[in-house]
Each structure stands twice: as C-alpha cells, then as structure tokens.
Amino acid sequence: MAVEKNTFSFILIVLPLISCCVSLHTQEDSGYDFRAFPSYVRLIEGVKLHNSSKIEIGRYSHFNKYRILAHNFGAQGDGSTDDTKAFQKAWEEACSSSSAVNVLVPKGKNYLLRPITFSGPCKSEITIQIAGTLVASNDRSDYSKDGRHWLLFDSVQNLIVEGGGTINGNGNALTFDKCTNLEVKNLKIKNAQQIHLSFEKCMNVEASNLVVNAPEKSPNTDGIHVTGTQIIQISSCTIGTGDDCISIVSGSKKVRATDITCGPGHGISIGSLGSGNSEAYVSDVVLNGAKLFGTTNGLRIKTWQGGSGSASNIKFQNVEMQNVKNPIIIDQSYCDQSKPCKEQSSAVQVNNVVYQNIKGTSSSNVAIDFDCSKKYPCQGIVLQNVNLGSAKAECNNVNFKNIGTVMPYCS
C-alpha cells in the first residue's frame, strides 16, 4: 500500500552523541576567581551558542515533526538481516524533507548495519530517537575501505540523537564530522573496536547522559574523543573502557565537562599533542565535577617531544579519585611507541593550568608528576586545595603556585 508522504511514520537509526544549545559558564560561575591570579589564568568567556538566525534545538515537539519509518524501506530489525540500505534510504528521505523530521528506532528491535555515512547538509532539523539497538557488522571485510568509521554523520546541522537505546559497536567508531548544533543524549554505547564516540571539527555540541562501556583490556577504545571541535559540553556521562574516558586533542577549544564518572580506563586526557613534530593547540577547557575509580591516570596532559603549539587555559576542579595510579600528570616526553623516542628540544607549551579541590588516593607512590620540557617549561600551574594523601610529588621544569592545603607538595 502506498504511504502518503505527510503521514509517513518515520523510524531510522542513528548513533553518537552530539548536542547543541549549550551555554558554557564563565569561570566565576565555578567558584574560583581567576582575576585574583591574572598571571596564571585567563578568563574563559561565556559562550552564546546560537544567534537569531539559527534554529534552536528542541523547539519543536516530537508530535509536530514529520515521521519516517525505516521499515517502509525494507528494514527488518531482526539482528541478522543487513538493514544498511534501508537506513540509507530512510536518511535520504529525512534529509530532503523541508519539515522537521523525527526518526524512530523502535524498542525491542536490533538493526544490523555495515559502515554507513549519513550526509548533510539537510533541509531541516532531524531528531533520531534510538529506543532499540543498532548493531555493527562483525564481518571485518566490511571495514576494508575505511577501518576508522562505522556510523558517520557528515556535515549535518541541527541534529538530535537520543532515545534510551543502545549502539553496539561490534565494528568501529561512531563519528560526527563537521556537524553543527548537535545533541547526543540518553544512549548506551558499547564495545567499539576503537574510539566509541568521536566529534571531529564540530561546533556547538552537547553530549549528555551517556553510558559508554568496553572491556578494561581493549586497546584504543576511548570513550568520547574530541578533535578540532569548538564549544562542546559533555555532562552526566559514565565511561569505562580500555583507554581514555575522555580525550581532547588538537584544534579543540571551549570544552566543558561536568559530572563525569570514569573507570576503568586511562582517565581524562588532553592530548596526545605534537606527534610527528606537528603543531597542536587546545585551549579553554574546564572539567568541573568528576569521579575516577581504579584508572591508570587521573587528570593528564600529554605531549610529544618535537611538537609545537600550546595547551592553555585549562581547569580541573571538584574531582575525586580513588586508587588511581597517576592522579595528576603532565608529561611533555610522551612516547607511545615500541622503540625509545628521539630526544628533541621543541615542545608544545603547557601554560595556565589550575587544579582546584582535588582529593583521593594514589595506587602508586607518585601522586603528582610534572615532567615538563627544559626549553619550554610548564608555566602558570596552580594547585589549590589538593589532597592526594601520603604519596609524593615529582616536579621538573615547572612554574607553579600552591594555594591552601596541597598534598603532596611540589618543592
């Protein structure tokens, strides 16, 4: 039976987490007066995400949106039938709609997908509600052309991905590339072969209420990866993987993370930066409120020798760590390869970093490790009200300031 376009019931599947309509707070909002130490920290200005010409995410109710059902394009949702083509056709229908669209992945259904790209720009706002499960193909030949991506949203604006369902990355990453005004929330993402959720060159993003899980020994399975992305809020996420819970790398600016639970994994990392003698920049990062349990690292900044650029205006505050091997670490001699790295004098400059209200325990005898460059020492490092117990601090080539109680103490 033919289906009228304006009565289309719309069910599609979508993946990662992105979000817009986020307002980054000023640092005064966090309870720390940066103006008291202007030589150490510069204010991160509040950011207004939308101007009057942009569509505001969430202003349409789900009931007023045009709906599409992937089943009308042949999707089975039985977990064994390849539903990739059906999803591609459903996306094309949604993307070409001049009215706001709601794509629903129903509860109780399992959609098997090979690598697929959902391309924009689209004509209107799209909401993808994943109540069921998206499952990646486990046939490795499906990834022979592109081993980095499974579900890729490319150049899409005004997109919401939500719904309480599951993205089972039996394959590779869930990726948003060059997307603007994105919201990803209320999803479970698990068992990716590499990075679980990646935001690449995006703008105005919100990722919230996400649960990301992979085995502790799984390699390169970062939870949320941020690269070349500006104005992003990550909030109320629980992440346990075999690599960084959150990794923030070059080109990222105005990143705010709140209410993060991390473990197992490698902690929360800025970097690595400057590999292969490259130029890298990260700035205006605030982590406010996190709990880390049994991770390899806690709060880490890592850069390669030979790089250039900077990691600046970074604040870690209100963080609790239990049984963390390296609770606070800046490593400007990072070397992630089998043979020793060549010693080089150039480095990515690390400056204006604040650690405030940090407490917990270290599973090693070194709780604070600042291993900075001789030629480009770490500048403007502030530790305020830090208590990591009786472990020691090792501080090389660092310009620091202690405020309040700081344990252990850099001497």
Side-chain angles (χ1 to χ4, degrees):
M1 182 177 73
V3 180
E4 294 294 328
K5 182 174 181 179
N6 56 359
T7 60
F8 229 144
S9 273
F10 170 52
I11 295 182
L12 179 116
I13 25 187
V14 184
L15 31 253
L17 354 108
I18 10 187
S19 137
C20 78
C21 293
V22 170
S23 183
L24 295 185
H25 295 209
T26 63
Q27 289 173 330
E28 288 92 342
D29 292 337
S30 64
Y32 185 86
D33 188 358
F34 287 79
R35 292 168 297 184
F37 305 97
S39 62
Y40 283 86
V41 184
R42 188 180 68 221
L43 275 173
I44 297 176
E45 299 296 336
V47 178
K48 187 175 182 180
L49 294 187
H50 297 280
N51 60 36
S52 58
S53 66
K54 292 183 179 178
I55 294 175
E56 189 173 333
I57 293 293
R59 79 182 202 186
Y60 300 102
S61 72
H62 294 314
F63 301 101
N64 293 332
K65 291 181 179 177
Y66 164 56
R67 289 190 160 191
I68 294 177
L69 174 60
H71 288 183
N72 290 337
F73 297 92
Q76 299 298 308
D78 58 12
S80 58
T81 302
D82 182 359
D83 288 327
T84 309
K85 289 183 178 179
F87 274 75
Q88 191 72 66
K89 290 177 180 177
W91 174 259
E92 290 169 0
E93 179 75 20
C95 190
S96 63
S97 171
S98 57
S99 301
V101 175
N102 192 11
V103 179
L104 172 65
V105 181
K107 189 174 182 179
K109 294 289 186 177
N110 295 276
Y111 295 91
L112 179 65
L113 299 178
R114 292 182 290 106
I116 183 172
T117 298
F118 301 100
S119 297
C122 298
K123 291 186 176 180
S124 64
E125 180 194 68
I126 296 176
T127 297
I128 299 173
Q129 290 184 283
I130 303 173
T133 300
L134 303 182
V135 183
S137 166
N138 61 7
D139 184 345
R140 303 319 302 160
S141 65
D142 287 339
Y143 305 90
S144 59
K145 292 183 179 179
D146 183 353
R148 293 185 58 245
H149 300 105
W150 167 38
L151 301 177
L152 171 62
F153 290 85
D154 183 21
S155 303
V156 182
Q157 297 184 351
N158 304 317
L159 172 66
I160 300 174
V161 181
E162 60 180 0
T166 299
I167 295 168
N168 187 344
N170 223 357
N172 286 355
L174 171 75
T175 305
F176 293 90
D177 184 27
K178 299 185 292 293
C179 293
T180 303
N181 297 348
L182 304 174
E183 187 174 345
V184 181
K185 59 186 180 181
N186 302 323
L187 292 172
K188 300 179 183 69
I189 303 174
K190 66 178 185 178
N191 298 334
Q193 294 298 311
Q194 295 186 37
I195 296 169
H196 282 77
L197 176 61
S198 184
F199 297 101
E200 303 176 2
K201 300 176 184 177
C202 294
M203 174 76 75
N204 292 359
V205 174
E206 184 178 347
S208 62
N209 296 304
L210 301 170
V211 176
V212 182
N213 287 319
E216 183 174 3
K217 294 185 178 180
S218 56
N220 301 317
T221 53
D222 293 42
I224 299 174
H225 185 67
V226 180
T227 177
T229 292
Q230 298 188 27
I231 313 175
I232 176 170
Q233 168 118 20
I234 303 167
S235 62
S236 302
C237 294
T238 299
I239 305 168
T241 67
D243 211 294
D244 296 328
C245 290
I246 298 175
S247 55
I248 302 166
V249 300
S250 186
S252 297
K253 185 177 183 180
K254 295 176 182 170
V255 179
R256 185 175 181 90
T258 60
D259 187 22
I260 304 299
T261 300
C262 172
H266 293 182
I268 296 171
S269 293
I270 295 174
S272 61
L273 304 174
S275 62
N277 298 335
S278 63
E279 186 176 12
Y281 293 91
V282 170
S283 65
D284 302 339
V285 177
V286 177
L287 170 68
N288 184 3
K291 294 182 179 180
L292 295 91
F293 302 95
T295 54
T296 305
N297 304 287
L299 310 173
R300 177 167 61 159
I301 300 173
K302 49 181 177 175
T303 71
W304 292 75
Q305 295 183 78
S308 61
S310 65
S312 62
N313 299 334
I314 297 161
K315 182 175 183 183
F316 302 106
Q317 68 172 29
N318 302 320
V319 177
E320 179 180 350
M321 291 183 267
Q322 299 297 330
N323 198 37
V324 171
K325 187 175 180 181
N326 302 299
I328 293 176
I329 180 170
I330 298 177
D331 182 4
Q332 286 190 283
S333 299
Y334 182 72
C335 181
D336 185 20
Q337 60 186 42
S338 57
K339 61 181 181 180
C341 291
K342 178 182 177 182
E343 185 172 348
Q344 300 183 64
S345 60
S346 62
V348 175
Q349 178 71 64
V350 177
N351 64 296
N352 294 353
V353 182
V354 172
Y355 302 89
Q356 181 192 43
N357 299 333
I358 313 295
K359 63 180 181 180
T361 59
S362 174
S363 62
S364 71
N365 63 354
V366 178
I368 298 176
D369 186 1
F370 296 138
D371 184 13
C372 299
S373 166
K374 293 179 181 178
K375 188 171 182 180
Y376 296 92
C378 299
Q379 300 286 342
I381 309 301
V382 175
L383 296 104
Q384 181 181 23
N385 300 330
V386 174
N387 188 345
L388 295 170
S390 59
K392 64 181 181 178
E394 294 185 352
C395 308
N396 298 311
N397 305 312
V398 56
N399 180 340
F400 67 91
K401 181 169 188 160
N402 291 326
I403 303 172
T405 301
V406 177
M407 294 179 59
Y409 185 89
C410 280
S411 56

